[in-house]
Amino acid sequence: MPSIAKPVARHPSLERNSLGLTIRDYEGSMSTLCAGCGHDSITAAIVRTLWEISMPPHRLVKMSGIGCSSKTPAYFVYGAHGFNSAHGRMPTITTGAIAANRELTYIGVSGDGDSLSIGIGHMCHAIRRNVKMVYLIENNGVYGLTKGQFSASADVGSKSKRGEANRMLPIDPVMLGLSIGATFVARSFSGDKEQLVPILKAAFAHRGMALVDVISPCVTFNDHSGSTKSYLYTRKHEARATETDFVPPATEILASISTNGVTSVTMHDGSVVRFRSLPAGYDPTDRQKVMSYLQERQSSGEIVTGLLFADETVADLHEANNTCDAPLNDLPYEKLCPGAETLNWLQDEFR
Amino acid sequence: MRESTHSGVNDFAVKLANVNGTGSASANGLLMQAIFRMGIPVSGKNLFPSNIQGLPTWYEIRVNGAGYTARALDYDLMVAMNAQTYARDIKEVRSGGHVLYDSSWPLDKSLYREDVEFLPVPFARMCNERFREPRERTLMKNIAYAGTLVAILDIDMPIVEELLTERFAGKVALRESNRQALRIGYDYAKEHFSCPLPFHLRRMDANHDKILIDGNTATALGCVYAGATVAAWYPITPATSVMDAFKEFCEKYRRDPQTGRNNYLIIQAEDELAAIGMVIGASWNGARAFTSTAGPGVSLMNELLGLAYYSEIPAVLIDVQRVGPSTGMPTRTQQGDILECAYASHGDTKHILLIPANPAECFDFAVKSFDLAERFQTPVMMLSDLDIGMNDWVVPRLQWDDAYRPDRGRVLSEEDLKDLPKFYRYANGDENHVAARTVPGVHPNGAYVTRGSGHNKFGEYTETPSEYQEVVDRLEAKHKAAANFVPAPIVASSGAQWGVITIGGCDAAVREAVDLLHERGIVLDYMRIRGFPFAEAVETFMRDHELCFVVEQNRDAQLHSLLVLETGIPKDRLRPVLVYGGFPLSARKVIEGILTHSEIDERTGRLMPVVRDLEETTCPR
Ligand SMILES: Cc1ncc(C[n+]2csc(CCOP(=O)(O)OP(=O)(O)O)c2C)c(N)n1
Ligand code: SF4
Ligand SMILES: [Mg+2]
């Protein structure tokens, strides 16, 4: 049941963050996913990230749709409100929640079925609105919860557990996001916490929507030899575009780190994200170049990972709509009601 | 019957036949407003096509000093400005009526009728002589026929001039050409016809405390006054003007004067699935939020309405009904969404409906929708329709009580949560079976996972039958409890044996029909239902009458079905009267409908049912 996990004396050895909380305080209920499911590793990365950035648990809001992936918000941060909503509709409900209260921090956890089929329209429009949230896709190429049908992210030639091959071209959330103006795009691998944690930190610091696609093998239905979303295949074909360094606000940038091939982007909250480009000349702030690079590498069978693109100059939903700073759910009624006198004279217009 | 004998001072109907997209709406609006300002009860019905330009469109004005302003079907005057529809328009005028037409071109001989008087005015020719630009010529032709009507109906010219001055404040040239056009039509009529016609207007004082407003504008105003801060929608006729008006009011009254920032957020969603999702997200997060849509949108919203119902999240949905099924007739009116809204979504679901009859109730019920949605933590749908929403109605000035405070329902504050050992989302229902909710971010003790999947009263996931049932049984009890909170039915009873039950925008026509039948010695009691779940008074009225006619605008007798399903009344105690072709209801159709179900006993003069099975179904009164 919900209750904030307070710093507990039982774990005196556990390290505490600036709120005095241990990493245990960022956990949720026991996962009911299959042992070895990629989604559980992502949950662990989320827990670590939130602990490291000292997120006050009750100021976090966890949103999801329906799917194995969408169950995971129950498995992290007990002390946060969550909403396990309807299949594909997470972006709409999150957009509404953010409309009502811009002060909280939002993470939406989705699957490739949830976001690339039934909810693809909603995802695209949430991207276009630059809704300020971390939008995480736990991408396994199948519908886990309904027992292994191909999803829209299954690669051509990828084989189902029963041996059928997929013939349709996949929808790649990264390319899709880039093509419709996503302002933060990353791809990672559930098995790579070292890469995922700094990406997630940067994602939480982003001004608008941070789209994070994480390859997350489904051990039950899609981790066999014909699958391109298996542990083995992903490890073999991964090509890193960047390495990310997250520097929290007001932290001196260490001079010892070489600035060779490094792009620094100052995030909305004052933190700095430093990308080290692995292939020479990779520029994570140039949308066109990023898209052509990704296309080129992907056509030769590589899965490009890293924080791939970021643009901190684009207004989020609220900024674009000139909404007041105070959360809309907290404005005093006196501010909202024009009153009887106004109603009386405004009706002269209707005479 | 008054319907066929009207036509006198302050008692007549005019139909104006136009081509859409030519600017006739502005001329017709001007006439309506002028009559309104003369203090005379009036209504205007816009019968327009789903098209932007070039198709036939009609506007009907009914004037009635006694206040009967439902649609009338006998036209004393046809303003025939569309040659495409001359044939049918001229046929529609009552015998002894008048046809005003543009005589710039000769009227086909076959169209002449012996029993009506033709009033030829060469509008096009005169406007072409006076105005140069083609667009101006077309626009001004409309103002010119308005001028003719001013003369033949004795509309107060100073009022019309005053209206032009107001409309074109700061646009002197435009005002002048309008004035000239008005004069063209006016002078021609004065010179060629004996003005006024036998039926015409005379100033009254029926409107000094009234306004002329459409239901969508009044609804939007209600949403502003209710304190709604988040709105999400997808464009659809006839609901679009709700959001247009909401935006306009917000820009005026919700922009912080100091900072220039908006104390509201309106999102044009990608579809109705998203619009209702946004409303649910915002309401879950503690804002007052709403969407406006029509039937096709409600169909899409079904999925998430079930989520909001089951996870107990407030949501306000304004459904401005139009003709279905499917795309149907988008610019025509119907009451076809009653059942769909009452039971929207799969599984056992039941919703709260508020059903206004006119723009004044749209304002009040919009506010009430938010209060009930938050009090009962559930979707509330307000069922308006195209006739109410898009036509201008004369209604009493809207009233506001500054003592009003939103009923936010049971929401735990930081203070409440601080010392709460454990929060259980769906436990401890109050006398209305509503459990307390929490809003994200307020206090760590309030956190929980909201879900549309099976849950027990603690808010935990469950697949256990008893735990599941405990929650849905409470939801049913909660819905029942709302019967005492929705607006009570309006009842006019004189102890008659039979009654008429109706709903929404049928009100005016049904009341007129009841009065007309009364003149013929047929007495019927009246009840208008304004909310669902049904208040006890609804069943009482039905039990108190041997037989009730249920008048509504849909094919399938949806209100009738809902009454049978949700009360203990036997089906054959209710007789459906159904008018569903898409135009606003008229008293004549109601009377026809009632009379086909009954016959008059020669001996007693009493109304008798055609189907003589009453004995078996008579309940104690
Ligand atoms: C409207 C609707 N249609 C179908 C389903 C059945 N359904 C549940 S989860 C799911 C697919 C989930 O796939 P994905 O989002 O990739 O999540 P995964 O289980 O793979 O993590 C489907 C089709 C549903 N819940 N709702
Ligand atoms: S079915 Fe696949 S996705 Fe679902 S929990 Fe099991 S491994 Fe994970
Ligand atoms: Mg999947």
Side-chain angles (χ1 to χ4, degrees):
Chain A
M1 275 314 297
S3 68
I4 181 165
K6 298 202 177 69
V8 187
R10 278 202 311 266
H11 313 291
S13 56
L14 282 177
E15 208 184 321
R16 292 170 192 282
N17 65 13
S18 66
L19 298 176
L21 301 178
T22 71
I23 197 154
R24 299 294 310 272
D25 298 323
Y26 289 83
E27 287 170 357
S29 57
M30 278 282 287
S31 170
T32 57
L33 303 183
C34 308
C37 175
H39 301 347
D40 278 336
S41 314
I42 301 172
T43 298
I46 295 171
V47 167
R48 170 150 295 273
T49 303
L50 292 167
W51 176 70
E52 286 187 11
I53 64 174
S54 293
M55 170 68 60
H58 76 290
R59 304 297 285 175
L60 178 76
V61 182
K62 311 171 293 183
M63 310 296 286
S64 67
I66 296 293
C68 296
S69 36
S70 292
K71 287 182 177 184
T72 62
Y75 312 144
F76 61 88
V77 197
Y78 245 151
H81 261 78
F83 197 154
N84 182 192
S85 67
H87 196 25
R89 314 296 173 224
M90 179 279 286
T92 73
I93 292 171
T94 311
T95 300
I98 292 171
N101 188 349
R102 62 190 297 180
E103 281 187 346
L104 304 179
T105 299
Y106 297 83
I107 180 168
V109 183
S110 186
D112 41 328
D114 207 51
S115 274
L116 300 181
S117 285
I118 191 165
I120 189 166
H122 303 313
M123 181 188 76
C124 290
H125 288 276
I127 291 172
R128 293 181 65 230
R129 292 187 187 100
N130 206 22
V131 176
K132 184 168 166 32
M133 66 182 291
V134 175
Y135 194 121
L136 195 90
I137 301 176
E138 303 189 342
N139 191 344
N140 53 15
V142 289
Y143 292 180
L145 195 57
T146 50
K147 299 191 178 254
Q149 300 83 359
F150 279 127
S151 83
S153 71
D155 293 299
V156 174
S158 176
K159 287 214 180 73
S160 75
K161 212 176 171 188
R162 290 167 56 200
E164 305 153 62
N166 169 53
R167 295 180 201 296
M168 289 183 284
L169 281 173
I171 298 174
D172 174 5
V174 163
M175 289 304 287
L176 177 62
L178 285 167
S179 71
I180 57 174
T183 54
F184 182 112
V185 181
R187 171 152 37 222
S188 189
F189 176 45
S190 63
D192 190 350
K193 216 189 275 179
E194 296 314 303
Q195 185 189 46
L196 188 49
V197 170
I199 285 176
L200 286 174
K201 285 182 183 172
F204 278 110
H206 177 55
R207 181 176 182 175
M209 179 193 284
L211 182 65
V212 184
D213 177 40
V214 187
I215 312 275
S216 177
C218 169
V219 290
T220 306
F221 299 109
N222 206 17
D223 196 34
H224 46 84
S225 58
S227 163
T228 58
K229 297 262 187 308
S230 62
Y231 283 109
L232 196 69
Y233 187 93
T234 308
R235 286 224 172 82
K236 251 169 112 176
H237 294 82
E238 183 183 4
R240 293 180 169 226
T242 61
E243 247 163 29
T244 310
D245 224 352
F246 181 81
V247 189
T251 310
E252 288 288 326
I253 295 173
L254 294 174
S256 65
I257 293 176
S258 141
T259 50
N260 218 0
V262 168
T263 313
S264 292
V265 174
T266 305
M267 307 305 276
H268 209 49
D269 65 355
S271 54
V272 175
V273 175
R274 307 195 310 168
F275 310 76
R276 186 188 311 278
S277 297
L278 295 178
Y282 185 88
D283 180 0
T285 64
D286 184 331
R287 188 185 297 271
Q288 292 316 321
K289 281 196 191 144
V290 168
M291 287 179 75
S292 6
Y293 176 79
L294 292 182
Q295 226 148 20
E296 182 194 305
R297 301 319 306 156
Q298 276 163 215
S299 63
S300 60
E302 289 181 7
I303 303 163
V304 183
T305 63
L307 206 179
L308 303 172
F309 176 76
D311 179 356
E312 289 295 300
T313 66
V314 183
D316 80 337
L317 172 74
H318 279 290
E319 293 169 317
N321 282 281
N322 195 29
T323 329
C324 59
D325 285 332
L328 289 174
N329 70 353
D330 203 29
L331 296 174
Y333 177 66
E334 296 66 43
K335 261 197 159 158
L336 302 174
C337 179
E341 210 186 303
T342 306
L343 183 66
N344 196 37
W345 65 252
L346 79 78
Q347 290 180 78
D348 291 343
E349 192 191 318
F350 306 116
R351 286 202 46 92
Chain B
M1 268 170 59
R2 185 185 294 104
E3 269 234 332
S4 49
T5 59
H6 67 70
S7 317
V9 175
N10 291 348
D11 187 10
F12 60 87
V14 181
K15 184 162 181 170
L16 302 106
N18 301 104
V19 178
N20 85 320
T22 57
S24 57
S26 151
N28 301 340
L30 184 78
L31 291 166
M32 258 291 276
Q33 211 176 352
I35 299 169
F36 168 75
R37 284 204 189 171
M38 287 176 74
I40 307 164
V42 61
S43 68
K45 303 288 182 200
N46 193 6
L47 314 177
F48 60 111
S50 179
N51 172 267
I52 304 300
Q53 201 175 64
L55 287 188
T57 185
W58 293 270
Y59 192 76
E60 298 181 355
I61 295 176
R62 178 171 183 198
V63 174
N64 186 284
Y68 294 108
T69 55
R71 183 172 182 234
L73 297 175
D74 293 300
Y75 309 104
D76 302 285
L77 172 63
M78 177 68 63
V79 181
M81 301 300 290
N82 182 3
Q84 292 172 73
T85 58
Y86 271 176
R88 61 202 261 203
D89 294 338
I90 291 170
K91 251 190 223 141
E92 274 190 355
V93 187
R94 73 166 170 87
S95 187
H98 293 67
V99 175
L100 173 68
Y101 72 100
D102 189 346
S103 59
S104 309
W105 302 274
L107 196 64
D108 191 301
K109 289 244 159 25
S110 67
L111 296 172
Y112 276 101
R113 268 177 62 183
E114 288 294 321
D115 61 336
V116 301
E117 190 174 329
F118 285 83
L119 306 172
V121 181
F123 291 113
R125 210 190 66 218
M126 294 193 296
C127 287
N128 290 355
E129 280 163 12
R130 186 70 59 94
F131 303 104
R132 293 194 41 217
E133 297 300 321
R135 179 73 188 154
E136 198 182 23
R137 285 172 169 174
T138 316
L139 290 175
M140 290 310 152
K141 219 169 69 176
N142 298 309
I143 303 298
Y145 77 64
T148 299
L149 293 187
V150 170
I152 63 179
L153 297 177
D154 227 357
I155 298 175
D156 208 355
M157 190 52 130
I159 289 182
V160 179
E161 300 235 314
E162 172 188 271
L163 283 168
L164 287 182
T165 311
E166 287 170 21
R167 272 192 192 189
F168 300 111
K171 299 172 195 153
V172 185
L174 213 54
R175 192 188 61 203
E176 267 324 298
S177 28
N178 273 273
R179 258 206 196 131
Q180 279 180 26
L182 198 71
R183 276 285 158 192
I184 291 175
Y186 182 86
D187 292 344
Y188 189 93
K190 282 283 188 189
E191 202 177 309
H192 294 85
F193 312 131
S194 86
C195 296
L197 298 177
F199 55 90
H200 57 265
L201 299 161
R202 190 175 302 147
R203 256 181 188 275
M204 283 176 62
D205 189 23
N207 295 341
H208 74 272
D209 57 349
K210 303 252 168 69
I211 53 167
L212 186 62
I213 192 170
D214 65 79
N216 285 354
T217 303
T219 300
L221 210 45
C223 295
V224 173
Y225 274 74
T229 51
V230 176
W233 69 299
Y234 189 74
I236 188 166
T237 305
T240 293
S241 56
V242 173
M243 225 33 106
D244 288 346
F246 184 69
K247 181 158 188 267
E248 214 170 287
F249 288 128
C250 282
E251 281 166 359
K252 276 195 197 138
Y253 306 112
R254 284 287 189 74
R255 198 162 268 167
D256 191 299
Q258 265 102 57
T259 62
R261 307 276 290 279
N262 297 336
N263 291 331
Y264 65 94
L265 179 55
I266 301 170
I267 306 176
Q268 185 184 316
E270 56 271 25
D271 53 35
E272 287 87 348
L273 304 167
I276 192 70
M278 289 171 191
V279 168
I280 292 167
S283 304
W284 177 73
N285 220 356
R288 284 197 150 184
F290 76 102
T291 185
S292 60
T293 190
V298 181
S299 288
L300 286 185
M301 293 180 185
N302 264 257
E303 177 194 41
L304 292 187
L305 285 170
L307 172 69
Y309 170 81
Y310 187 35
S311 58
E312 300 185 61
I313 299 170
V316 172
L317 188 166
I318 310 292
D319 176 17
V320 189
Q321 298 167 94
R322 66 186 213 185
V323 173
S326 188
T327 302
M329 298 194 281
T331 61
R332 297 292 149 86
T333 197
Q334 207 174 56
Q335 297 171 318
D337 300 348
I338 299 171
L339 285 176
E340 134 142 292
C341 288
Y343 301 121
S345 212
H346 54 277
D348 291 321
T349 50
K350 281 185 185 187
H351 303 289
I352 297 175
L353 312 181
L354 303 188
I355 307 133
N358 55 55
E361 282 190 343
C362 285
F363 177 76
D364 293 340
F365 289 11
V367 177
K368 185 122 200 137
S369 297
F370 288 94
D371 285 341
L372 292 186
E374 293 199 300
R375 158 80 18 216
F376 287 95
Q377 302 176 2
T378 196
V380 171
M381 287 172 255
M382 185 175 108
L383 267 64
S384 176
D385 63 41
L386 182 140
D387 180 24
I388 301 171
M390 291 187 72
N391 284 320
D392 281 332
W393 294 58
V394 178
V395 293
R397 255 179 189 272
L398 309 178
Q399 301 292 329
W400 188 253
D401 178 0
D402 278 330
Y404 169 86
R405 284 296 169 275
D407 179 357
R408 306 304 308 262
R410 292 189 71 192
V411 184
L412 298 182
S413 66
E414 191 177 355
E415 199 55 31
D416 300 331
L417 286 164
K418 226 174 49 203
D419 304 315
L420 200 71
K422 241 175 173 34
F423 167 66
Y424 296 121
R425 173 61 183 93
Y426 301 113
N428 307 318
D430 65 8
E431 70 279 11
N432 297 314
H433 313 281
V434 180
R437 69 183 183 121
T438 56
V439 168
V442 171
H443 193 275
N445 288 352
Y448 73 102
V449 175
T450 305
R451 44 171 64 92
S453 46
H455 48 263
N456 60 21
K457 67 178 172 192
F458 306 114
E460 293 157 347
Y461 183 85
T462 190
E463 294 177 4
T464 306
S466 58
E467 288 190 347
Y468 161 81
Q469 275 177 228
E470 188 180 11
V471 171
V472 292
D473 289 349
R474 182 179 54 77
L475 287 180
E476 189 189 24
K478 183 174 86 164
H479 185 259
K480 280 215 174 82
N484 297 323
F485 292 79
V486 301
I490 301 284
V491 173
S493 193
S494 59
Q497 209 169 356
W498 289 14
V500 186
I501 300 172
T502 194
I503 192 167
C506 300
D507 178 48
V510 178
R511 276 190 295 111
E512 183 179 358
V514 167
D515 289 355
L516 289 169
L517 287 169
H518 196 265
E519 283 174 15
R520 294 167 62 172
I522 300 164
V523 184
L524 294 164
D525 285 344
Y526 176 80
M527 171 168 71
R528 174 165 62 87
I529 291 170
R530 303 196 298 170
F532 177 74
F534 298 125
E536 208 179 299
V538 170
E539 186 151 353
T540 307
F541 182 92
M542 293 190 290
R543 293 213 175 272
D544 284 351
H545 293 86
E546 246 172 47
L547 189 96
C548 290
F549 299 102
V550 183
V551 183
E552 52 183 315
Q553 289 173 280
N554 58 68
R555 185 195 67 183
D556 289 348
Q558 299 189 21
L559 175 63
H560 172 272
S561 298
L562 198 61
L563 286 166
V564 171
L565 278 167
E566 298 284 343
T567 69
I569 204 79
K571 192 174 169 185
D572 46 14
R573 292 267 302 267
L574 304 177
R575 294 294 147 87
V577 172
L578 309 169
V579 183
Y580 47 89
F583 286 144
L585 193 61
S586 59
R588 189 207 281 173
K589 298 269 185 192
V590 178
I591 292 170
E592 279 169 12
I594 288 177
L595 294 182
T596 55
H597 278 291
S598 37
E599 55 198 29
I600 314 242
D601 185 302
E602 296 290 318
R603 205 168 39 80
T604 61
R606 275 185 48 193
L607 212 54
M608 300 290 289
V610 169
V611 185
R612 296 182 194 280
D613 54 0
L614 262 188
E615 263 83 60
E616 289 136 55
T617 57
T618 302
C619 291
R621 291 188 60 184

